[in-house]
Amino acid sequence: MLPCIQHHRPYRQIAVAAFLAAAFCLLPACSRASEEPPPARAAALPFSFDDVKNKAEELASRPFEDPEGQVPDFLLNISYDQWRKIRFRPSEALWRDEGLPFEVQFFHPGLFYNRLVAVNIVDRGQAAKIPFSPSAFEYGDEEFAAKVAGTPLDFAGFRIHYNLNTGKYKDEVAVFLGATYFRAVARDVQYGLSARGLAVDTALQSGEEFPYFREFWIEKPGEDSDSITVHALLDSPSLAGACTFTITPGKETAMDTECVLFLRKDVQKLGIAPLTSMFLYGETENGRQGDYRPEVHDSDGLLVHTGSGEWIWRPLANPERLAVVPFPLENPAGFGLMQRDWVFDHYQDLEARYERRPSLWIEPLGNWGPGRVELVEIPSELEIHDNMVAYWVPEKMAEKGPDGRPVSDVRKYPRKMSFAYRMRWLNPRETLHTIGRAAATRIAAGPRDGSLRFILDFEGGELENLPADAGLTSVVTLDEGARLLEKQLHKNEATGGWRLVLTVAVEPEGAFKTLFPTAPARPLIRLSALLKKGENLPEPLTETWTYDIRP
């Protein structure tokens, strides 16, 4: 059961990423804002997703207008305790009395949420705006409620409910709240990492731009519907866009997504299908002094499936300095931030229950061409920070406008880009392939100064059926600046998998500066490893494990 949004994250910019604030649960309250009847809905108008695309194109043809400031100060300056007292009344949920498989509840603006969003309902091809009504909320303070009742407002976001885990009540399965952030859960898991509609100029010195959703259209489901569709109008100083999400909850919750973008001006870097998560520390750090928990993270690794069929696993790290880690490839088959460790004993946190956080997998629909999956790791000392970001960066931006004119005329019209993908919110126990996986990464000091020892455990696939004398080999590659001193591979009788131990020496910073005196900074050194039955056999038995060493 998901009675509230645990660790629900308000979003704002910190360095080059968003961070999450304190845990957020809607608690019972006593007072109603008003006994007046709610305002009447606006007249319905014909609607299709093309209307959202037309709105986005028209919006991008005009200068950007920031709606920040529409939420009055008395709502933004409330305390966290006041915010917790504001509760949407479940009896006011959309379709509560119609017996439909889905219901929708709404979030109140204020505190962290300083932009209003319009929400429309689409029924049989007709769209009508839902008016904001204070009577749909409980405030816990009559004086405060009366002040809200006299203020024109709209919603901050909404959440979708569905019989996900039991037929007795509708669980919260997805939430859209703050900028272009949204989250979902699969069966038997709880909220963890987030997705975003788009990332703009992430990890650049110029600073990140955070698009936001201006307006939503929610299609009313049928009596037998197992999915619900949400359309959204996206806006930012550099671009506008139209997005549609078809959400199908279940053992895994799928979101079929399409976005069409119209650029107002040049963008240095677009992040497609961005994912945002938290990683404080994992088994690589062997715990943290002063904390009883062995690991603390919403996700523990980035998984990439290349167009050529290779599976790449990169365990996450909480770096001392900002790290931007690219994985160049063409036509990605998928990528995602995964929570691969589902054992409670590895976390020991009865409140956060990190072993129940979902993985999120992105499957491109259509040809995405050349580009790179980019992982951004931001230093963090607190688990309230979302400090891991991953997304796809296309190599080429839109080259022509809607009428085929060259990009030099971008000031006269918006350029157009579009992409589609499926998001799969997965139970951490779910696997995406049948080969062996990199199950654990541990790092220790090596026997020589400047050396490191990597202890890698591979499990699953054929590995468990191979005896200790099977003749497995490891293929290890290192970037320049590092040397492999020793490697050992042996059967791990405790897990049924195999353990690979690598001892690596890294050239000191001074040696690098001597060789490359004009280099601005020493790049990360990538170390990769995989297991095969024999060096001459083409097919690997495992994923390609990678790690990036910062000297």
Side-chain angles (χ1 to χ4, degrees):
M1 180 176 179
L2 300 171
C4 65
I5 304 177
Q6 292 193 355
H7 295 280
H8 194 85
R9 300 176 173 90
Y11 309 101
R12 59 174 176 158
Q13 186 173 347
I14 177 171
V16 294
F19 83 90
L20 40 75
F24 170 97
C25 287
L26 298 176
L27 301 180
C30 56
S31 64
R32 297 187 60 174
S34 171
E35 296 301 328
E36 299 178 0
R41 290 189 183 181
L45 298 172
F47 173 85
S48 72
F49 183 49
D50 286 339
D51 295 312
V52 188
K53 289 186 275 188
N54 293 336
K55 276 196 171 191
E57 184 172 9
E58 193 276 330
L59 194 62
S61 68
R62 296 186 277 110
F64 172 71
E65 296 180 7
D66 194 340
E68 189 170 355
Q70 294 177 345
V71 180
D73 288 342
F74 81 88
L75 278 172
L76 297 177
N77 296 329
I78 61 177
S79 69
Y80 179 63
D81 286 339
Q82 286 176 300
W83 169 251
R84 293 176 68 186
K85 292 178 181 179
I86 302 176
R87 180 186 183 186
F88 185 82
R89 297 173 60 83
S91 61
E92 302 295 322
L94 283 180
W95 315 310
R96 167 55 64 99
D97 300 324
E98 298 186 44
L100 299 182
F102 293 89
E103 293 178 2
V104 177
Q105 298 185 19
F106 297 94
F107 290 102
H108 200 286
L111 193 57
F112 309 108
Y113 305 105
N114 60 356
R115 288 189 172 96
L116 303 177
V117 297
V119 182
N120 306 271
I121 295 303
V122 181
D123 186 6
R124 293 186 289 271
Q126 301 284 312
K129 184 178 183 298
I130 301 175
F132 178 90
S133 174
S135 63
F137 293 86
E138 296 176 340
Y139 291 87
D141 182 285
E142 292 184 2
E143 183 178 348
F144 183 79
K147 198 171 183 179
V148 172
T151 304
L153 290 173
D154 233 323
F155 302 106
F158 61 91
R159 56 193 185 188
I160 299 170
H161 294 248
Y162 178 80
N163 292 115
L164 182 65
N165 294 298
T166 176
K168 296 180 180 179
Y169 52 83
K170 289 182 170 62
D171 302 290
E172 186 178 329
V173 297
V175 58
F176 289 77
L177 180 64
T180 62
Y181 287 83
F182 56 94
R183 293 195 284 175
V185 290
R187 187 172 299 146
D188 297 325
V189 300
Q190 66 183 45
Y191 282 120
L193 79 169
S194 301
R196 285 194 265 169
L198 192 70
V200 179
D201 292 345
T202 305
L204 296 182
Q205 290 185 349
S206 58
E208 182 168 3
E209 177 177 303
F210 286 86
Y212 65 96
F213 289 135
R214 277 185 179 268
E215 190 169 5
F216 290 98
W217 293 261
I218 305 172
E219 294 195 13
K220 184 177 181 179
E223 293 182 359
D224 299 321
S225 296
D226 60 1
S227 64
I228 186 169
T229 299
V230 174
H231 310 284
L233 178 65
L234 176 151
D235 198 13
S236 80
S238 297
L239 52 85
C243 299
T244 184
F245 308 92
T246 299
I247 305 165
T248 308
K251 182 181 178 181
E252 70 172 58
T253 292
M255 287 189 179
D256 287 335
T257 305
E258 179 185 355
C259 289
V260 182
L261 304 178
F262 299 91
L263 277 66
R264 285 190 175 95
K265 60 181 182 180
D266 289 338
V267 174
Q268 294 187 63
K269 180 169 65 175
L270 276 183
I272 307 301
L275 316 177
T276 303
S277 192
M278 180 276 293
F279 180 89
L280 194 63
Y281 59 90
E283 74 261 4
T284 51
E285 289 81 9
N286 296 313
R288 173 169 287 196
Q289 186 174 3
D291 199 324
Y292 71 93
R293 299 169 297 179
E295 301 181 38
V296 176
H297 51 76
D298 282 341
S299 307
D300 57 0
L302 170 72
L303 184 63
V304 177
H305 191 196
T306 71
S308 61
E310 182 182 15
W311 291 89
I312 301 172
W313 173 257
R314 166 54 157 79
L316 298 180
N318 187 351
E320 295 182 359
R321 292 173 288 170
L322 174 73
V324 180
V325 185
F327 293 85
L329 64 151
E330 186 162 350
N331 293 329
F335 68 93
L337 290 176
M338 317 302 286
Q339 182 72 322
R340 188 169 269 184
D341 192 338
W342 59 80
V343 180
F344 169 78
D345 189 53
H346 294 178
Y347 302 97
Q348 289 292 329
D349 196 321
L350 287 171
E351 180 183 359
R353 299 303 300 269
Y354 288 115
E355 79 282 359
R356 297 186 62 198
R357 304 297 172 100
S359 298
L360 180 49
W361 183 248
I362 304 296
E363 290 181 349
L365 302 177
N367 187 336
W368 279 14
R372 66 184 184 274
V373 173
E374 192 167 274
L375 171 66
V376 179
E377 297 173 318
I378 304 165
S380 177
E381 291 298 322
L382 298 171
E383 62 196 276
I384 61 171
H385 292 169
D386 262 348
N387 61 327
M388 299 288 123
V389 189
Y391 44 77
W392 170 257
V393 181
E395 185 176 292
K396 294 182 179 181
M397 300 291 288
E399 296 185 351
K400 294 182 179 180
D403 57 1
R405 287 181 293 175
V407 294
S408 58
D409 274 347
V410 69
R411 290 170 296 179
K412 299 180 181 178
Y413 64 90
R415 286 175 288 169
K416 182 179 179 181
M417 298 180 68
S418 61
F419 49 91
Y421 55 94
R422 170 169 289 180
M423 312 180 73
R424 299 172 61 188
W425 303 79
L426 303 167
N427 188 297
R429 295 176 179 269
E430 294 295 319
T431 58
L432 293 166
H433 57 65
T434 58
I435 61 175
R437 64 187 184 278
T441 301
R442 295 177 175 85
I443 304 175
R448 293 170 43 179
D449 289 344
S451 66
L452 295 170
R453 176 171 288 144
F454 294 86
I455 299 93
L456 315 178
D457 280 320
F458 292 90
E459 299 175 5
E462 296 183 45
L463 296 178
E464 297 179 3
N465 299 321
L466 296 174
D469 59 355
L472 261 63
T473 61
S474 60
V475 180
V476 180
T477 58
L478 300 91
D479 286 348
E480 291 185 5
R483 291 180 294 114
L484 180 63
L485 301 180
E486 183 183 20
K487 66 176 181 177
Q488 299 175 351
L489 176 63
H490 48 82
K491 183 77 173 180
N492 185 337
E493 299 294 348
T495 66
W498 288 71
R499 173 166 288 187
L500 175 63
V501 181
L502 308 174
T503 303
V504 177
V506 179
E507 297 294 342
E509 183 75 16
F512 174 79
K513 286 295 185 182
T514 300
L515 293 172
F516 306 99
T518 61
R522 181 168 185 169
L524 300 175
I525 297 173
R526 180 159 295 175
L527 169 65
S528 300
L530 59 86
L531 304 185
K532 302 176 71 172
K533 281 187 177 178
E535 293 185 2
N536 297 324
L537 296 177
E539 295 299 323
L541 285 171
T542 67
E543 303 167 333
T544 301
W545 170 91
T546 69
Y547 200 80
D548 299 276
I549 307 170
R550 187 188 291 272

